[in-house]
Amino acid sequence: MKTFLLATTIAATASLAAAAEKYVLDSSHSQIVFSYNHLGYSTTYGMFSGFEGEIMFDQENAANSSVSVSMPTMSMFTGWEKRNGHFMSADFFDAMPEDMISFTSTAIEVTGDDTAKITGDLTMNDITKSVVLDAKLNQVGDHPQAGKPWAGFDASTTLLRSDFGLGAYAPFVSDEVDVVISIEAMKAD
């Protein structure tokens, strides 16, 4: 009986793993946009684009899915060279070319037909914290130009810079940073 239960458990686990299909990010159509309040006068924006990642996507049971992405810290774009330089300085990231920002999901809680909360480990500035993304599946289907399965997702969260050792000038420059993510991913060959 124990052997039967063990075999059943292994088979069930294997079928769950087999249900998730690998998708890779379309770097040209995936962005992370962040914003923060600057001294109460304005909202300042920046972004990351062209990053890499993959999604193990189970359309039938999204809770069995996972996501992992990473990008060089120095790939941040703020639209102003001096601001980019300041963010990469010792005041904030003290970034080197090999420094990376990464997110790896640890759990997905389905909250609706096309929504979920994705919990994961965000590593930034050599500090790892658990964060929760409010995610929405935009669309799944065959891409009209690429002729292969494609998926699109949006997500958002709010981070505290100080949680990652980046709290310089707070509270004058907001400690809270709003993050909006939009990604497209293609089914891997």
Side-chain angles (χ1 to χ4, degrees):
M1 184 66 162
K2 287 182 181 178
T3 304
F4 174 74
L5 289 174
L6 179 60
T8 304
T9 303
I10 291 170
T13 303
S15 70
L16 285 176
E21 298 179 295
K22 183 177 179 177
Y23 282 69
V24 293
L25 292 189
D26 171 4
S27 297
S28 66
H29 294 101
S30 297
Q31 302 85 31
I32 299 173
V33 177
F34 62 90
S35 63
Y36 58 92
N37 181 288
H38 183 256
L39 304 171
Y41 294 110
S42 66
T43 300
T44 303
Y45 296 88
M47 73 178 294
F48 292 90
S49 188
F51 49 90
E52 296 181 357
E54 72 178 42
I55 300 168
M56 293 303 294
F57 183 44
D58 185 339
Q59 254 186 286
E60 300 302 316
N61 187 357
N64 291 331
S65 300
S66 64
V67 60
S68 62
V69 298
S70 62
M71 67 214 72
T73 302
M74 295 180 85
S75 68
M76 180 188 301
F77 175 75
T78 67
W80 191 45
E81 191 175 332
K82 287 183 180 180
R83 183 180 302 119
N84 280 8
H86 191 203
F87 282 169
M88 297 305 125
S89 77
D91 282 350
F92 294 99
F93 286 97
D94 199 17
M96 302 299 288
E98 65 273 8
D99 292 345
M100 300 293 283
I101 296 172
S102 65
F103 176 84
T104 303
S105 64
T106 55
I108 297 178
E109 174 193 352
V110 176
T111 57
D113 290 342
D114 59 359
T115 58
K117 291 194 176 295
I118 302 173
T119 302
D121 291 332
L122 175 63
T123 301
M124 182 166 51
N125 204 31
D126 294 326
I127 298 171
T128 301
K129 296 282 185 180
S130 181
V131 300
V132 178
L133 305 176
D134 290 313
K136 180 182 184 307
L137 171 64
N138 296 326
Q139 180 172 290
V140 177
D142 285 342
H143 191 284
Q145 294 169 312
K148 64 191 304 185
W150 218 263
F153 304 87
D154 285 344
S156 63
T157 194
T158 299
L159 305 174
L160 293 178
R161 302 187 286 122
S162 57
D163 283 350
F164 297 92
L166 301 167
Y169 309 109
F172 306 107
V173 175
S174 175
D175 194 22
E176 289 189 348
V177 176
D178 294 323
V179 179
V180 177
I181 303 162
S182 189
I183 62 170
E184 291 184 26
M186 65 198 93
K187 189 173 177 185
D189 294 325

